[in-house]
Amino acid sequence: MRIVVLTGGIGGARFLLGVRAYAREVGAEVTAVVNVGDDLLLHGLKVCPDLDSVMYTLGGGADPERGWGRVGETWTVKSELAAYGAEPAWFGLGDKDIATHLVRTTMLNAGYPLSAVTAALATRWEPGLTLLPATDDRLETHVVVDGDQGQRAIHFQEWWVRYRADIPTHRFVFVGADTAKPAPGVLEAVGSADVVLIAPSNPVVSIAPILAVPGLRDAVTDGPAPVVGVSPIIGGAPVRGMADRCLAVLGVECSAAGVGGLYGGRSAGGLLDGWLVAPEDEGTLVPDASVRSAPLRMIDEAATAAMVRAALELV
Ligand code: FO1
């Protein structure tokens, strides 16, 4: 059995722990198609937060509280950069994390595509599944906000980390999406999948930038595999992160129904054959998708594997 997961963010990384546990139980192979919209160039280094969160989480190197960066991290370089007044000070790189960015940037500068770099980094971390960036091309989420001289676009990380999304916000723009191509292996994985799972990631800034890569959404909707999404919203609130702020920008209700409706039922031209919601959201309806409830708190791998099983039983 081949499982493909569209994923991003810290919740998405946690979800993959359960997908991997389930896959080991049933002997399935898993391919994670990971968001790259959060990526940024910082102090000359290419930082890929979602790819790194997934790689570190599955490799056992992630800080469990933060969900990003490394466990047992030190911040010597960060404080030295601050001593020089090197901007931006609002985005901190840990010393161990910097080694990842140095290797990645060196390989990218040598001409390797991001997918090859990701595979190379994964040989150390042994995530236990295939990690693919959604695209090898530049695709960056920028956010149009109110500046003091009218509207301006800032990088997603500035919006997310510096402003904590607490700034008048108009829309999200996926810079580079119009010319980006799916990374090698992505269309093949989706085309040969037995099921495509949409992780309980932020639908606006983690899943949408993946589906914005030309050809990727169609590969999912026109593909043979049933598509099941897991709601990132429980009882009207995101489990973590700021999906509520993001959905508000789109004018979408922050609810399991709102996000299910955003993805849409497949036979109505949307993505979903199935939509897994929490018991708190029992009775949620998504036109043309079958909805089921199951506990969605990813408290440990076994709980998350049970979510995966419930999602797969939907189709
Ligand atoms: N998030 C923060 O809130 N503050 C930071 O200083 C920060 C640094 C950082 C460095 C590397 C990395 O991979 C992630 C980092 N994040 C930080 C988290 C990041 O903003 C989010 O993980 C994703 O971009 C959204 O899921």
Side-chain angles (χ1 to χ4, degrees):
M1 175 197 222
R2 287 184 290 265
I3 303 172
V4 168
V5 188
L6 308 185
T7 185
I10 294 154
R14 293 232 162 94
F15 181 67
L16 284 175
L17 286 171
V19 178
R20 183 179 65 181
Y22 174 82
R24 282 173 174 163
E25 249 175 66
V26 303
E29 54 184 80
V30 181
T31 299
V33 178
V34 185
N35 173 42
V36 296
D38 296 5
D39 296 3
L40 74 162
L41 263 182
L42 202 73
H43 308 298
L45 299 176
K46 175 85 168 183
V47 179
C48 301
D50 283 2
L51 281 164
D52 290 346
S53 286
V54 168
M55 184 173 73
Y56 292 154
T57 299
L58 290 166
D63 180 278
E65 267 66 53
R66 283 197 310 265
W68 55 267
R70 291 284 304 281
V71 66
E73 186 58 279
T74 54
W75 307 92
T76 304
V77 173
K78 177 177 188 266
S79 54
E80 286 300 303
L81 286 167
Y84 281 115
E87 288 300 326
W90 45 266
F91 195 88
L93 292 179
D95 298 324
K96 294 180 179 175
D97 197 29
I98 286 171
T100 300
H101 311 315
L102 285 168
V103 170
R104 177 184 290 122
T105 307
T106 303
M107 289 187 72
L108 290 171
N109 292 343
Y112 291 93
L114 181 59
S115 47
V117 175
T118 303
L121 294 171
T123 55
R124 172 189 174 189
W125 291 100
E126 297 178 353
L129 47 83
T130 303
L131 296 185
L132 297 178
T135 177
D136 281 340
D137 302 318
R138 182 169 180 264
L139 190 154
E140 264 181 28
T141 302
H142 289 196
V143 190
V144 178
V145 298
D146 274 347
D148 34 24
Q149 286 106 4
Q151 292 186 9
R152 66 193 177 102
I154 58 177
H155 188 283
F156 165 76
Q157 293 296 349
E158 186 167 9
W159 186 73
W160 188 263
V161 175
R162 184 179 191 185
Y163 296 111
R164 292 272 173 244
D166 197 5
I167 182 173
T169 303
H170 299 280
R171 66 187 185 282
F172 300 98
V173 180
F174 304 135
V175 175
D178 45 345
T179 54
K181 294 180 298 306
V186 169
L187 297 183
E188 295 79 358
V190 172
S192 61
D194 295 296
V195 63
V196 174
L197 295 176
I198 301 181
S201 304
N202 185 313
V204 181
V205 294
S206 293
I207 301 299
I210 296 173
L211 296 168
V213 176
L216 227 160
R217 176 186 284 270
D218 293 348
V220 175
T221 53
D222 304 346
V227 180
V228 185
V230 179
S231 177
I233 307 296
I234 297 180
V239 176
R240 72 176 285 155
M242 297 182 279
D244 47 345
R245 299 284 178 91
C246 301
L247 289 164
V249 174
L250 270 57
V252 172
E253 182 191 78
C254 182
S255 66
V259 177
L262 181 64
Y263 288 142
R266 194 163 183 175
S267 42
L271 288 159
L272 300 176
D273 295 290
W275 185 235
L276 192 67
V277 303
E280 294 89 327
D281 299 307
E282 182 85 48
T284 295
L285 293 176
V286 175
D288 299 301
S290 54
V291 181
R292 176 177 174 200
S293 79
L296 293 189
R297 302 260 177 216
M298 300 189 280
I299 47 178
D300 56 24
E301 282 194 21
T304 312
M307 283 165 58
V308 175
R309 193 175 302 108
L312 295 177
E313 281 162 7
L314 248 172
V315 287

